[in-house]
DNA sequence: CCTACCGATCGGTAGG
DNA sequence: CCTACCGATCGGTAGG
């Protein structure tokens, strides 16, 4: 009773350390390129001792990926729920994503590169969550079009383009050359341009730059 | 003399088949998730026989990734060199990328996911090529800004956003819901919007849609 | 949390 | 192009 044989549901400090080391290594070397011994060494342990805190290497991966996607979906819902103006919803959704990718670069990269390393049924769960996220974006853009606020060739294609563009922030080779707030703001603006929403307030609150039409 | 011990530079039909099978499997299961035996089985062979046509598994990977990046750089140069109008250069560069990603989805996904599986010095070579591609895009956008044709907050950030957006085409979970030509055209248009170049010919050759400003 | 160790996998070689 | 096989790696277990 006292011994937690599989301590995977007990979120001890040690579990968190193991998880963090695993995230570091999965990001740097990939899932299959990381050995349990590598993770253990980072914490001054031996590989078998890890199994007092988890039940398998695969569990480490699936937890990271699924939590990442759940966070993305949550933050997207919050961003959209924080206002009723569809342009502002889109801007905030993009800002939320970019902020998340900037702050959780390691988890984002793992989630985007290691889907194929997931075993079933987690793999399917993750693919479904990704599909759901894409649909949420597409519906948001569709609504903007219906309200006459956006003008796009294809809401689905546009949703996909915006999503992929934002994920890119996490894929930066070297750290971004700008501050997080600048990153977030710029991508929010780009999103509005992509959906053709910027014309509403064109030469108004724009960040200066006269933008002449020299042919 | 007659026996090609390491037939890696001899581009035989068999080599091409092996390469194609490897690309399929690296894409589906990842580099580390693919065994030489898997590749051989696809061709009705046994794993050791593969070594009559290549020298290592790693060689298969690096060739795919490096060739992919070389093609991207070439096609980008060709697109930019095919006209002098900076807006048109940007559009064609985006179209070339999207077309490439659409046609070489497998290679594109491998190149983007398996950089970490590359050993040195190929890994560095690939990272350098990626950096070069990013710089090429950034310079193109900078020139557009200098000519007063584009208006962006940061050429570098914008270049990165556009690059990542286009790569996304290859990352589609399921095949794209539209034709290749539609895909290519839509992304070209989006690129022009992102750099703020569409205003020049705003309600002109646009694909209909009145775009009212009901706000 | 450790040592000892197993069972399986896998890239690659030997030698034909 | 094959069989036989090596050497190394690695996730996980036993048992303390």
């Amino acid at each position: 009773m006292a011994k937690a044989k599989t301590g995977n549901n007990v979120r001890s400090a040690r579990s968190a350390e193991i998880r963090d080391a695993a995230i570091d290594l999965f990001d740097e070397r990939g899932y299959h390129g990381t050995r349990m011994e590598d993770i253990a060494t980072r914490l001054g342990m031996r590989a078998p001792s890890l199994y007092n805190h988890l039940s398998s290497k695969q569990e480490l991966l699936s937890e990271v990926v699924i939590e990442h996607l759940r966070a993305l979906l949550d933050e997207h819902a919050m961003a959209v729920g924080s206002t009723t103006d569809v342009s502002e919803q889109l801007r905030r959704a993009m800002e939320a994503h970019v902020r998340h990718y900037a702050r959780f670069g390691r988890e984002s990269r793992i989630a985007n590169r290691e889907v194929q390393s997931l075993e079933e049924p987690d793999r399917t769960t993750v693919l479904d969550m990704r599909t759901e996220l894409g649909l949420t974006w597409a519906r948001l853009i569709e609504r903007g079009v219906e309200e006459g606020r956006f003008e796009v060739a294809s809401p689905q294609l546009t949703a996909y383009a915006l999503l992929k563009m934002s994920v890119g922030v996490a894929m930066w080779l070297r750290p971004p050359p700008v501050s997080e707030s600048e990153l977030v703001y710029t991508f929010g603006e780009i999103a509005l341009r992509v959906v053709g929403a910027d014309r509403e307030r064109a030469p108004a609150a724009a960040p200066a730059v006269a933008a002449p039409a020299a042919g």
Side-chain angles (χ1 to χ4, degrees), chain A:
Chain A
M1 263 316 198
K3 291 173 198 166
K5 236 199 297 190
T6 59
N8 51 325
N9 31 20
V10 184
R11 277 274 152 263
S12 70
R14 204 50 159 171
S15 294
E17 289 176 335
I18 293 170
R19 184 197 172 83
D20 189 67
I23 291 174
D24 256 12
L25 290 162
F26 290 169
D27 181 28
E28 287 167 20
R29 311 179 189 181
Y31 177 74
H32 289 294
T34 301
R35 296 166 304 165
M36 293 306 276
E37 192 66 42
D38 296 332
I39 299 173
T41 300
R42 286 239 171 163
L43 305 173
M45 299 163 66
R46 306 307 299 266
S49 303
L50 294 174
Y51 291 87
N52 291 309
H53 302 279
L54 50 88
S55 57
S56 73
K57 185 189 179 187
Q58 177 71 202
E59 176 193 272
L60 276 174
L61 178 64
S62 68
E63 280 188 13
V64 169
V65 176
I66 290 176
E67 257 180 50
H68 170 258
L69 272 162
R70 185 156 43 224
L72 270 186
L73 284 163
D74 282 358
E75 287 164 17
H76 180 83
M78 284 212 305
V80 171
S82 67
T83 174
T84 55
D85 181 275
V86 73
S87 286
E88 201 51 31
Q89 286 175 326
L90 183 78
R91 179 206 297 276
R92 292 183 192 179
M94 175 58 87
E95 289 182 347
H97 269 61
V98 169
R99 194 176 289 114
H100 186 90
Y101 292 131
R103 291 186 184 173
F104 300 97
R106 299 176 308 166
E107 291 86 343
S108 304
R109 286 185 289 271
I110 293 168
N112 277 284
R113 284 194 298 229
E114 302 289 355
V115 182
Q116 65 203 341
S117 301
L118 283 170
E119 293 167 10
E120 295 294 359
D122 290 321
R123 193 182 144 97
T124 297
T125 301
V126 164
L127 290 178
D128 287 349
M129 289 174 90
R130 269 164 66 151
T131 301
E132 189 187 336
L133 192 61
L135 285 175
T136 312
W137 276 79
R139 280 193 294 262
L140 176 57
I141 295 173
E142 261 165 34
R143 192 153 46 75
V145 172
E146 284 164 13
E147 293 181 15
R149 303 285 302 281
F150 300 164
E151 183 260 309
V152 301
S154 158
Q156 198 182 342
L157 263 186
T158 308
Y160 210 85
L162 288 178
L163 250 178
K164 285 302 174 183
M165 191 179 74
S166 68
V167 181
V169 169
M171 300 299 172
W172 235 286
L173 305 182
R174 295 151 231 263
V178 293
S179 68
E180 181 184 302
S181 59
E182 196 178 339
L183 202 62
V184 163
Y185 178 76
T186 303
F187 274 78
E189 288 290 312
I190 290 178
L192 292 176
R193 282 188 174 186
V194 168
V195 297
D198 56 343
R199 289 182 186 81
E200 296 170 27
R201 38 165 189 65
V209 185

